[in-house]
Amino acid sequence: MPTLNDLKSGETAMIKEILDLDAATQAIRMGIAAGETITCIAKVPAGPTVVQHGGMELALGRDLCQKIEVVRQ
Amino acid sequence: MTSNPVLVNPDPHLCAGNGECHQPAQAIPADIQETIVLAGNPNVGKSVVFNALTGLYTNVSNFPGTTVDIPKGMLPDNRLLKDTPGVYGISNFSEEEFVAEKAILSGDKIINVVSALSLERDLFLTQQIIDYQKPMIVVLNQMDEAENKGLRIDVPLLQALLGVPVIPTVAVTGKGMSDILPQLTKAALGNPMTDCPDPEALRQLEDNPGRRLQTYGSRRQYVNSLVRQVVSQMEQGQHFSLSRLMGQLFLNPVVGLVSGLLVMLILYQVVGVWIAGDLVALTEETLMLGYVVPVIQKLVGSVIASNSPIYTILAGEFGVLTMSMQYIFGVLFPLILGFYIYISLLEDCGYLPRIAVLCDGLLNKIGLNGRAVIPMILGFGCVTMATVSTRVLTSQRERTIASIILAITIPCSAQIAVIVALMALAGGLKAWGIFIGMLSLIMIGLGTVLNKVLPGKSTSLMLDLPPMRMPQMKNVLRKTWVRTVVFLKEAAPLFILGSLLVSVMQVTGLLTLTERLLTPITVNLLHLPSEAAQIFIMGMVRRDFGGAGLFFLSDQLTQGQILTALLTIALFVPCIASFTVICKERGLKESALTLLGSWAVAFLIGGLTARLIEWTHIL
Ligand SMILES: Nc1nc2c(ncn2[C@@H]2O[C@H](COP(=O)(O)OP(=O)(O)O)[C@@H](O)[C@H]2O)c(=O)[nH]1
């Protein structure tokens, strides 16, 4: 299963699952949750991934991205 | 500023303790009729709204989470308005959220500011406040930016669905702002989400992570359905947006590196060369030493004989009156002012969060995440302030690491000025290389060790990036000015205390005694003359004091000795002010360890550097 870390800049994907309870709780408040579609707008090499969703840009650290499973669209 | 009768907490950064401010605060009348709480996500324009409503300064910045303490102001009819840190929900994931939760749940009425740009995100908090059954109104801000993006928001429908008044505004131009207070009287309870538990049950849910996520999930779905009904995208297709382009660009590592270097270079040129060199030469030498100090000496001399100990204490070499005037107004004031203008600009335009993203990977290696960039950068202004701002970090573990690194390896702006000036004497570029290299090595080493030793795991970055915006000059200047004034208010008494201490020691002969006691360290370990002990004593009072003391000694020192002394002082103790704050923020045990650690590291590295320079003849 690909994770957020595998997305390249410009790719769109649907979030399958966030495998970290605390992170999932925090993210759902901002609108990022399983079933939502996000677009990767930047990827820092060996660093965070920046996704766009609902008028918001969110940077997620590498460790966290590893725990977010996605399905490419 | 301070003459404003309702100014309560001018700058959240400078306040230490849990929501308590150690700055002298103006009194709040005892007969408060009502407490109104301003709540919202970060960067929605809450501070601008707060200012407009109270006519007061508050911290307007673009970096999520720079407001940690609670600024308060008065509204007409004895109503108290409290600002809160920007949060995404009423939970307790960080200290900021804890502070906001407390304020929101205890308020009589809530003004919830939301950004029209990101309703999907913002309305979660709105709905949560409604679910907690708090009377509220919604300020729908940044309508101009939403329009530019082609978003249409059906305000009457939103108002009907939420069941609370919704006021569309453009806070920066003042549009709609005059409607806020009149609408406040119509604050309503609103419509809770489907199957909403009662407030007490909601609060208990916060302690049950699994069920909480479930409830958040239902609220998320409810909010998403609201947004689908209310928001429509007008023009299809993306039109060109400079803000968007810039935002993207600054996330590029190459652009980030180049811009970061440029930012540092400009900082060096402006603060280090122009202000520390040219301007301070004017204010310190011409103004203070040329006019003010001689006048003080004459005045004191006309009352007290100029060879008496009292005269030495008041107006001598380290005199309370003379040295304080010279440093506070001659050196510190222009420096701090310049530094804060610069940082405030970077903060207001949305540049800092993007740097935080780029630095995240590196900071992970020392147990921190990108968020730590803000305290680190603020640390170059003043470690005291930076230590307070470590509250934006999520876990206690990260706060410990950041505080220690700040106290030991980050020189403050007052010190940087002296360092810049002395570096020219110490051998220019090569000396800079050794200096920066050593500090970075220690930072990495210290961080790696702390990351290994401290229990637990640091949290991963989750940072919402605000759009890049033109900085608002008014906000930048106001923030700079208040920060500077508050800083000086805090620094001045310590300066006076410090010079009092040193001059009393001088008069009583304690200074020479201490110098002798410290010879094993100064002479044997660091290969410096014994007078160098003065530098360390003064450095304890304020870091830059030490540097300044070094200036006086510099004609007796070799280049290698100057560099050794500089490095030792840079690593040496945090000043009294920052130590006090570290104690307040991190507790006595951790502070004592930080202090002892900094001494050990400073003298060890100092001794090492001295020998390295001697053996290699590098300078
Ligand atoms: N274009 C536009 N910018 C705004 C508006 N309100 C606030 N801003 C800007 O948004 C940024 C964040 O505002 P601030 O008050 O610091 O947000 P806070 O974090 O909620 O306190 C600042 O750069 C403001 O100048 C608005 O209505 N329109």
Side-chain angles (χ1 to χ4, degrees), chain B residues 17 24 49 141 145 154 169 199 231 239 278 287 372-373 397 425 431 455 518 537 540 583 595:
Chain B
V49 171
N141 192 37
E145 290 188 328
D154 188 339
T169 59
V231 184
H239 52 217
D278 303 344
L287 190 67
V373 159
R397 182 179 200 268
L425 302 175
L518 286 177
I537 296 170
M540 236 185 283
C583 285
L595 191 67

Side-chain angles (χ1 to χ4, degrees), chain A residues 21-23 25-26 28-31 36 41-42 44-46 48 50 53-61 63-64, chain B residues 88-89 91 93 97 117 120-121 124 209 212-213 216-217 220 224 248 253 354 357 360 460-465:
Chain A
L21 189 62
D22 265 5
T25 313
Q26 279 173 273
I28 204 169
R29 304 185 302 176
M30 303 190 209
E36 300 283 346
I41 57 166
V44 181
V50 183
H53 174 82
M56 172 190 72
E57 289 177 13
L58 190 69
L60 298 154
D63 289 351
L64 184 54
Chain B
Y88 301 103
S91 332
F93 284 108
E97 293 196 2
L117 283 173
E120 189 172 332
R121 181 197 75 189
F124 185 91
R212 170 172 68 182
L213 181 57
Y216 280 20
R220 169 51 56 206
N224 285 358
Q248 285 268 14
R354 286 166 174 86
V357 173
D360 184 60
S460 225
L461 182 74
M462 192 189 288
L463 185 67
D464 163 28
L465 306 179

Side-chain angles (χ1 to χ4, degrees), chain B residues 10 198 265 287 345 414 490 495:
Chain B
D198 62 71
L265 225 79
L287 190 67
L345 268 173
E490 184 203 39
F495 257 92

Side-chain angles (χ1 to χ4, degrees), chain B residues 200-246:
Chain B
E200 194 39 48
L202 278 181
R203 216 163 308 173
Q204 278 164 14
L205 267 181
E206 290 295 326
D207 302 325
N208 184 334
R211 284 189 46 223
R212 170 172 68 182
L213 181 57
Q214 248 175 18
T215 314
Y216 280 20
S218 337
R219 186 177 293 122
R220 169 51 56 206
Q221 273 170 9
Y222 182 81
V223 167
N224 285 358
S225 79
L226 293 188
V227 174
R228 271 195 300 275
Q229 296 173 66
V230 190
V231 184
S232 45
Q233 175 79 43
M234 290 310 284
E235 311 126 52
Q236 274 306 319
Q238 324 244 323
H239 52 217
F240 174 79
S241 149
L242 187 65
S243 151
R244 180 93 146 270
L245 185 77
M246 299 266 288

Side-chain angles (χ1 to χ4, degrees), chain B residues 391-582:
Chain B
R391 287 189 199 163
V392 304
L393 305 182
T394 331
S395 69
Q396 288 300 325
R397 182 179 200 268
E398 286 153 74
R399 291 194 59 195
T400 301
I401 298 178
S403 307
I404 293 178
I405 286 182
L406 274 173
I408 298 182
T409 61
I410 308 265
C412 58
S413 68
Q415 219 183 355
I416 289 174
V418 188
I419 293 173
V420 168
L422 279 169
M423 274 304 177
L425 302 175
L429 221 56
K430 233 189 272 171
W432 269 112
I434 301 178
F435 186 77
I436 294 175
M438 278 290 195
L439 284 188
S440 320
L441 271 180
I442 296 159
M443 186 190 289
I444 296 169
L446 207 61
T448 314
V449 170
L450 287 170
N451 192 22
K452 285 256 154 59
V453 176
L454 291 175
K457 213 177 156 323
S458 291
T459 50
S460 225
L461 182 74
M462 192 189 288
L463 185 67
D464 163 28
L465 306 179
M468 298 284 291
R469 296 186 169 103
M470 261 317 264
Q472 300 272 318
M473 242 12 238
K474 212 169 89 189
N475 289 339
V476 170
L477 290 180
R478 190 165 43 187
K479 178 157 65 176
T480 307
W481 179 245
V482 176
R483 276 181 173 176
T484 310
V485 170
V486 176
F487 176 82
L488 288 180
K489 266 200 224 151
E490 184 203 39
L494 284 165
F495 257 92
I496 294 170
L497 190 80
S499 39
L500 185 68
L501 190 81
V502 179
S503 39
V504 168
M505 285 174 82
Q506 188 192 25
V507 174
T508 55
L510 263 174
L511 199 61
T512 14
L513 185 71
T514 321
E515 273 172 26
R516 257 209 315 268
L517 285 176
L518 286 177
T519 37
I521 293 179
T522 46
V523 179
N524 301 349
L525 180 66
L526 299 176
H527 296 187
L528 295 173
S530 64
E531 295 88 65
Q534 286 175 19
I535 304 174
F536 300 124
I537 296 170
M538 292 200 292
M540 236 185 283
V541 176
R542 281 204 64 91
R543 281 179 155 195
D544 51 296
F545 247 48
L550 185 58
F551 222 97
F552 295 132
L553 277 182
S554 60
D555 44 0
Q556 310 165 29
L557 302 175
T558 66
Q559 291 193 330
Q561 284 178 319
I562 294 180
L563 185 59
T564 306
L566 263 182
L567 198 59
T568 314
I569 299 172
L571 292 168
F572 194 57
V573 254
C575 63
I576 292 182
S578 59
F579 185 69
T580 323
V581 169
I582 297 174

